[in-house]
Amino acid sequence: MRIGVDVGGTNTDAVLMDGGTVFAWTKQPTTADVGSGVAAAIAEVLSQADVAAGAIASVMVGTTHFTNALVERNKLDQVGILRLASPSGEALPPMTGWPTDLAGRIGSHVYLLPGGYEVDGREIAPLDETKVRAAARELRAKGVNAIAISSVFAPVNSAMEERAAVLVHEEHPEAAITLSHAIGRIGFIERENAAILNAALGSLAARVVSAFERALVEIGVQAPLYISQNDGTLISAQQAAAYPVLTIGSGPTNSMRGAAFLTGVRDAIVLDVGGTTTDVGVLANGFPRESSVAVDIGGARTNFRMPDILAIGLGGGTRIHLDPSQYQAEALDNDSFSVGPDSVGFRIVEQARVFGGDTLTASDIAVAADRAQFGDPSKLPALSQPVIDAVWTRGQAMIEEAIDRMKTSRGDAVLLAVGGGNFLIPDTIPGAAQVIRPPHAAVANAVGAAIAQVGAQIEQVVSYDREPRDAALDRLRGQAREQVIAAGGVPDSVEIVELEEVFLSYLPGRAAQVRVRVVADLAENAHVLRQENTESYATQSH
């Protein structure tokens, strides 16, 4: 049996699954210390199913903590930035174009140092080891322990970044070092931005992962802990602590993977309605469609793999801005009210009218419109039917517009409605061939975490003059396969999901940059995922 957990800003969702069956599920309030909320959620599902902690084979967790930290500019480390690209790489200093408040939290500990490579593979300048050591000593004296090192064309040749890391570690043993080639792709500025963000999240990642691990210890679960990442696969807790940016998009990804699993539908538009926002994404062959452009995270452009998500400010806790004197109006002007984008968030059970609060929310309107049944309807203010209709229609228009923006074809799409606020999605909606609201829709994100596969990726520059192409590709496939098995993958389930080959005409020897990505079922998950694929095939065959 395994447990999937999704830690959101409002709720911590958990499911206990055995095979393809959800045995128990719960929603618990997310706590400030993270760990106690996770422990409460896991303890609750174990109690519901009367299962001992020792029966759990693995725990998979997804979290939005790192995204929220960047958006809120909160709990970020000061970062020392060593850019190895001078003199030609000084035109745009690090963090150019960043929001002022975010750059201010990172600090201005920037060192533009000689190094890097030209497009044809020549050195821009030799690495100046003396200056690297001096920068490391200065950062140690300032107490800056998070360091990002970036070098031009490091994904092609990472030697300078790796040598600089050795030097920094010798001078500043306490430093946590992020190398850009370990995270991003060739685009320099976006890759450097990702490295800086990763370094800034270092302390928070260590605390959050430790909190997860303590939570498991407290309730006696000794199973291995995995964290879900942006592409829907898993990494170990230790890897997540070192590379937290790889998990930033895991929340929407988990919801979409969970929606695909719960419905057996592989191609659809998924609407994940939470307390604050509705995330709209596209499922393609069971996986989220990836963004094809640079992804903006907290105002900084990055270039690592992220799902293509459109978030709109409509959720169960969204505030309805309407003067109480208008509550019983016979008609409302469009300008006389607004829907969000602000929300009461996790305080919905205190502040929403239907729970006895004094804030009119989208959930109140849904209950008044008889679209949902919870809370105490007698605590709602007296609202005229035209007012209810006007506010409800405004919310539906927001949803319809979001669906149209995410569509890639003119035909009607299948919609999967999940998340705790999925009651805001009606059963019929223009542009939708069908709206599917699967069982356990409210915790689809935790289901998505529970069924996630383990993944691995190999990326190298190879010379086909030195090694025949077929032999080189076989070697890289083998290395990727070994990595994913070492990470806990079932050998006979290893699948190559992507092989990217980019010829580098500016390098000698018929050079190419090759990237191989593989996934595998995580031991106890094996038969579940095969069941999912079988169900999906059956669905498509009809």
Side-chain angles (χ1 to χ4, degrees):
M1 306 187 84
R2 64 199 183 284
I3 291 175
V5 181
D6 189 276
V7 186
T10 304
N11 291 311
T12 295
D13 301 342
V15 295
L16 173 68
M17 296 186 67
D18 186 16
T21 304
V22 177
F23 265 69
W25 64 274
T26 187
K27 275 184 176 290
Q28 300 284 332
T30 295
T31 54
D33 65 350
V34 186
S36 59
V38 171
I42 294 177
E44 174 62 22
V45 293
L46 290 176
S47 174
Q48 283 183 27
D50 194 22
V51 169
I56 303 305
S58 54
V59 178
M60 298 82 161
V61 178
T63 178
T64 60
H65 266 78
F66 307 134
T67 308
N68 294 342
L70 292 172
V71 171
E72 297 168 2
R73 293 23 173 162
N74 191 21
K75 302 174 183 175
L76 301 177
D77 294 334
Q78 295 261 307
V79 178
I81 304 167
L82 275 61
R83 175 189 283 184
L84 312 177
S86 296
S88 64
E90 297 182 359
L92 290 175
M95 297 187 288
T96 296
W98 282 35
T100 304
D101 54 348
L102 179 59
R105 295 303 303 264
I106 301 297
S108 55
H109 316 290
V110 175
Y111 299 85
L112 302 178
L113 304 176
Y117 300 94
E118 301 282 3
V119 70
D120 60 0
R122 290 175 297 144
E123 284 186 356
I124 294 175
L127 182 66
D128 189 328
E129 298 196 357
T130 302
K131 289 185 177 179
V132 173
R133 289 185 182 278
R137 287 195 295 272
E138 193 170 311
L139 290 169
R140 185 182 64 183
K142 290 179 179 178
V144 177
N145 295 330
I147 296 178
I149 300 176
S150 59
S151 168
V152 181
F153 283 102
V156 176
N157 188 345
S158 60
M160 280 196 187
E161 285 193 358
E162 291 168 351
R163 177 58 184 163
V166 171
L167 299 172
V168 169
H169 181 70
E170 289 176 357
E171 300 293 338
H172 190 358
E174 300 298 320
I177 303 169
T178 298
L179 303 183
S180 73
H181 77 271
I183 296 177
R185 298 182 178 178
I186 286 181
F188 179 58
I189 296 299
E190 291 84 1
R191 172 163 45 86
E192 181 181 71
N193 287 345
I196 297 169
L197 294 178
N198 189 74
L201 291 167
S203 296
L204 176 63
R207 290 197 299 273
V208 168
V209 171
S210 293
F212 292 158
E213 291 174 332
R214 284 196 304 274
L216 298 189
V217 170
E218 288 173 7
I219 54 180
V221 174
Q222 298 181 336
L225 171 65
Y226 298 90
I227 309 296
S228 59
Q229 52 181 346
N230 304 337
D231 64 359
T233 61
L234 299 168
I235 54 176
S236 69
Q238 291 72 30
Q239 286 177 303
Y243 300 110
V245 292
L246 299 181
T247 72
I248 278 180
S250 66
T253 298
N254 285 341
S255 294
M256 296 178 72
R257 289 281 293 146
F261 178 81
L262 291 169
T263 60
V265 176
R266 306 275 286 183
D267 298 287
I269 292 178
V270 179
L271 297 106
D272 179 19
V273 190
T276 303
T277 63
T278 295
D279 292 335
V280 187
V282 177
L283 269 178
N285 197 27
F287 283 86
R289 182 177 72 192
E290 291 188 356
S291 176
S292 58
V293 297
V295 178
D296 188 301
I297 298 176
R301 288 167 60 87
T302 63
N303 62 355
F304 46 77
R305 304 167 65 90
M306 289 284 285
D308 184 11
I309 297 294
L310 173 64
I312 61 173
L314 177 65
T318 294
R319 294 174 187 267
I320 308 301
H321 299 279
L322 173 64
D323 192 308
S325 65
Q326 298 283 303
Y327 280 2
Q328 298 190 54
E330 291 302 318
L332 283 180
D333 294 332
N334 283 336
D335 296 336
S336 64
F337 72 99
S338 62
V339 177
D342 52 334
S343 167
V344 297
F346 67 89
R347 296 188 177 86
I348 185 171
V349 293
E350 304 165 8
Q351 297 188 5
R353 290 293 193 115
V354 76
F355 294 115
D358 58 3
T359 303
L360 190 64
T361 68
S363 290
D364 296 322
I365 297 299
V367 172
D370 202 24
R371 303 277 182 171
Q373 292 79 39
F374 54 78
D376 185 353
S378 68
K379 294 181 178 177
L380 291 172
L383 299 167
S384 69
Q385 195 60 46
V387 167
I388 296 172
D389 292 344
V391 177
W392 179 260
T393 301
R394 178 75 62 84
Q396 299 307 294
M398 294 168 65
I399 293 168
E400 292 170 21
E401 181 183 350
I403 293 170
D404 285 342
R405 288 175 61 184
M406 295 301 287
K407 271 185 176 178
T408 55
S409 61
R410 297 179 59 184
D412 291 346
V414 174
L415 302 186
L416 309 183
V418 297
N422 72 77
F423 53 81
L424 293 177
I425 309 298
D427 292 331
T428 57
I429 192 167
Q434 184 182 11
V435 177
I436 301 176
R437 213 180 307 271
H440 310 300
V443 290
N445 47 8
V447 172
I451 65 160
Q453 293 173 289
V454 66
Q457 179 172 297
I458 292 286
E459 187 166 353
Q460 285 185 8
V461 174
V462 295
S463 170
Y464 292 145
D465 279 355
R466 297 178 184 172
E467 184 179 17
R469 178 173 179 272
D470 289 344
L473 296 182
D474 284 345
R475 176 175 58 80
L476 295 176
R477 291 190 190 100
Q479 290 178 1
R481 175 183 169 83
E482 289 174 5
Q483 276 198 13
V484 78
I485 292 173
V490 176
D492 65 5
S493 70
V494 176
E495 179 185 1
I496 296 173
V497 294
E498 189 172 350
L499 195 159
E500 184 179 273
E501 185 180 30
V502 179
F503 284 89
L504 306 173
S505 58
Y506 47 83
L507 293 182
R510 290 200 304 133
Q513 183 179 15
V514 181
R515 187 164 63 92
V516 181
R517 192 165 75 93
V518 300
V519 298
D521 300 343
L522 182 63
E524 196 256 350
N525 269 0
H527 64 290
V528 180
L529 294 162
R530 276 196 286 273
Q531 175 182 323
E532 176 193 11
N533 292 334
T534 302
E535 290 174 350
S536 171
Y537 177 78
T539 301
Q540 293 174 358
S541 298
H542 286 78

